[in-house]
Amino acid sequence: MLAAGVALTLGLAACSSGGTEATPAAEGGSSAAAPSTVKLGFMGDLTGANAGIVIPPRNGAKLVVDEYNKTNPAVKIELVEYDSQADPSKAVALAQQAIKTDKIVGLIGPAFSGESAQVAPVLEEAKLPSISASATNAALATNGWKYWHRVLPSDSIQGPGIGDFIATGVGAKKVFVIDDKSEYGKPLADAVKGALEAKGVKPETDSLDPAESDFSSVVNKVAAAKPEAIFFGGYYAAGGNLLKQLRDKGVTAKFLSGDGSLDKGLIDGAGADNAEGALVGCPCYIATPDVTDAKVKAFADAYKAAYSADPAIYAAEGFDAATVFVDAIKAGNVTPDKINEFIATVDLAGVSKQVKFEANGEVAAKDIYIYQVKDGAIGLLGKATEAKLG
C-alpha cells in the first residue's frame, strides 16, 4: 500500500529509450539519442547548523526518485547531493561542479534564500532548471529568471500571513519584532512588521547576530517593552537560544517565528518548558498523523516507512519538486531546456498543494499555515486565516 501510493503519484509511463550519456547541462537542447541515466541535483545545508530544515525535503525528493527507479524505467535518475552548508560561496562552487562536471539536468534547491540569490544566476546562464522546496525571499522572483522556480509561497505571502495572525488570531496590540540580519530573516521580519502596521499595531524592533550566543542586549529591550507577542525572523538555532534567554529573563509574551524555526531544534534549544506554546508560521504543509487525504496519507506513510520518522518541514515540498522533474523525464524530456519547457506547463495535484508555476517562477498556491509547540512536539493548528489558539 505504501509503495503503491507513491507509485500512483509517480505513474508508470515508459520513458524514451537509449543508452548514451546525458546531454551536458550547459549545452541544452535535445540529444540525438536518449540517455539511460540522467543526474538530478539536490542542494542545501545537509550538515550545517540548520540542516534540520533541509534533510526532510532531501528525503522527500529521494523518496520520489527511489520509487521511480524501482519501476525499471528506460531512463533512470541519479540523485546527486550537494551539501552547501548554507554558505553562498560554497553553493556557487558546487553549482559550477554540478553543471560542468556532473552535467545534471535539473536542481532541487538551493534550500536557503542567501545561497539561492548567488546560485540562481549561475544556473540561469547555464539554462539549467531549478525548483527550490524552501527558499522564501520574495526578491528571488524579481530577477526575470526563466529557469528558476520554487514550490512554496514567498515571504511576501508568509510575512503578511503571520503578521495578520499575530494581530487577529493572537490579538496582540504590543509586539516586538526581531530579525537575524540575514537575507532570509530581515525581509521576513520587515514583512511581518508591515502587516502589523497595516492592522494598526506599531511594533518595536531590533536585530541580533545569530553567530553570537549572548542575546542579552535584545532580551533586555524586549523585557522593558513588555510586549504581548514577539516575532523572530531567523533560523531555529538562534531562535531556540533567544526563546530560552527571554524566558530566563521572565518574558512571558507569546513567541512566534517563521519557517526557519519550524524544527524540533527550536524546542531543543529553548528547552521543552520554555518552548511550550511557541507558534511558527510556514508556507509549508506538514502531514499530521491524523490526515485523511489518501494521497497525503500515502506520502506520509511511505516517508515514515523509508526514514523511520514522520514527514517534517518541507518534506512534502521536496517530494513535489522532485515529482515535477520525474514527470518531466517520464514524458521523454531529458535535457535541461526540454525539462524547463515541461515545468512551465505543470499543473500537478501534489501532496503539499496544487503545483502550478507563474511566469516568474512562483507557485500559484498561496496558503500559509500556523504550527504550535504542545507537549514538546510541533503540531498543525491550520491555515493562518483560520487557525485558533487552544
Side-chain angles (χ1 to χ4, degrees):
M1 176 62 186
L2 304 181
V6 175
L8 179 63
T9 301
L10 298 175
L12 297 173
C15 300
S16 56
S17 61
T20 66
E21 292 296 319
T23 299
E27 294 177 5
S30 60
S31 59
S36 59
T37 300
V38 295
K39 294 181 179 179
L40 177 63
F42 181 97
M43 182 181 292
D45 180 8
L46 292 169
T47 60
N50 293 294
I53 301 171
V54 180
I55 291 173
R58 187 279 309 275
N59 288 349
K62 189 172 185 300
L63 187 64
V64 177
V65 172
D66 287 348
E67 291 294 336
Y68 166 74
N69 284 335
K70 287 178 184 175
T71 66
N72 195 30
V75 180
K76 289 194 173 184
I77 299 173
E78 178 184 351
L79 187 66
V80 184
E81 297 179 7
Y82 300 95
D83 182 9
S84 62
Q85 298 181 314
D87 180 339
S89 61
K90 184 173 291 186
V92 168
L94 288 171
Q96 291 168 338
Q97 174 192 330
I99 295 165
K100 297 175 182 177
T101 303
D102 299 336
K103 299 178 176 28
I104 64 172
V105 296
L107 180 72
I108 301 168
F112 291 165
S113 296
E115 56 188 348
S116 293
Q118 300 299 315
V119 166
V122 177
L123 302 181
E124 191 75 8
E125 183 177 1
K127 298 183 178 180
L128 188 79
S130 68
I131 304 176
S132 178
S134 53
T136 57
N137 183 290
L140 292 172
T142 65
N143 296 287
W145 295 326
K146 301 300 183 186
Y147 291 80
W148 173 89
H149 314 80
R150 62 179 152 206
V151 75
L152 72 167
S154 76
D155 290 339
S156 67
I157 306 298
Q158 179 180 192
I162 296 173
D164 287 349
F165 177 73
I166 294 172
T168 304
V170 177
K173 303 300 182 186
K174 293 185 66 177
V175 182
F176 206 108
V177 175
I178 305 164
D179 69 79
D180 69 351
K181 305 179 186 177
S182 73
E183 196 152 358
Y184 157 71
K186 182 67 166 62
L188 177 59
D190 287 346
V192 170
K193 177 175 177 286
L196 288 166
E197 290 173 340
K199 292 284 187 180
V201 178
K202 295 182 178 179
E204 296 187 52
T205 63
D206 202 358
S207 301
L208 58 77
D209 183 349
E212 298 179 350
S213 58
D214 181 0
F215 300 147
S216 58
S217 175
V218 173
V219 168
N220 288 336
K221 292 177 184 176
V222 175
K226 295 182 172 57
E228 297 167 278
I230 301 158
F231 176 80
F232 171 61
Y235 297 103
Y236 66 81
N241 188 16
L242 172 64
L243 179 52
K244 180 180 186 306
Q245 293 183 39
L246 285 166
R247 296 300 188 239
D248 288 347
K249 186 70 176 179
V251 177
T252 59
K254 291 193 179 303
F255 183 89
L256 298 100
S257 191
D259 57 321
S261 292
L262 189 55
D263 183 85
K264 67 179 183 61
L266 179 74
I267 302 171
D268 295 341
D273 289 344
N274 291 330
E276 186 70 11
L279 296 151
V280 185
C282 187
C284 60
Y285 172 67
I286 301 177
T288 54
D290 59 348
V291 65
T292 57
D293 181 278
K295 178 179 290 185
V296 178
K297 189 175 189 311
F299 157 71
D301 289 348
Y303 187 99
K304 188 165 187 175
Y307 304 111
S308 300
D310 292 321
I313 181 171
Y314 294 131
E317 284 75 11
F319 183 93
D320 285 344
T323 299
V324 171
F325 281 112
V326 168
D327 281 358
I329 293 165
K330 279 166 46 184
N333 304 291
V334 294
T335 65
D337 270 346
K338 290 297 183 184
I339 291 172
N340 202 56
E341 290 175 10
F342 179 90
I343 291 173
T345 69
V346 161
D347 193 356
L348 165 73
V351 296
S352 70
K353 61 182 65 67
Q354 188 72 22
V355 179
K356 183 177 182 179
F357 296 103
E358 299 170 345
N360 62 357
E362 295 276 29
V363 74
K366 306 299 183 188
D367 285 330
I368 302 299
Y369 295 87
I370 299 294
Y371 299 82
Q372 186 170 35
V373 178
K374 185 176 181 180
D375 298 329
I378 299 174
L380 174 65
L381 285 185
K383 294 180 181 178
T385 53
E386 304 167 353
K388 304 291 185 185
L389 296 180

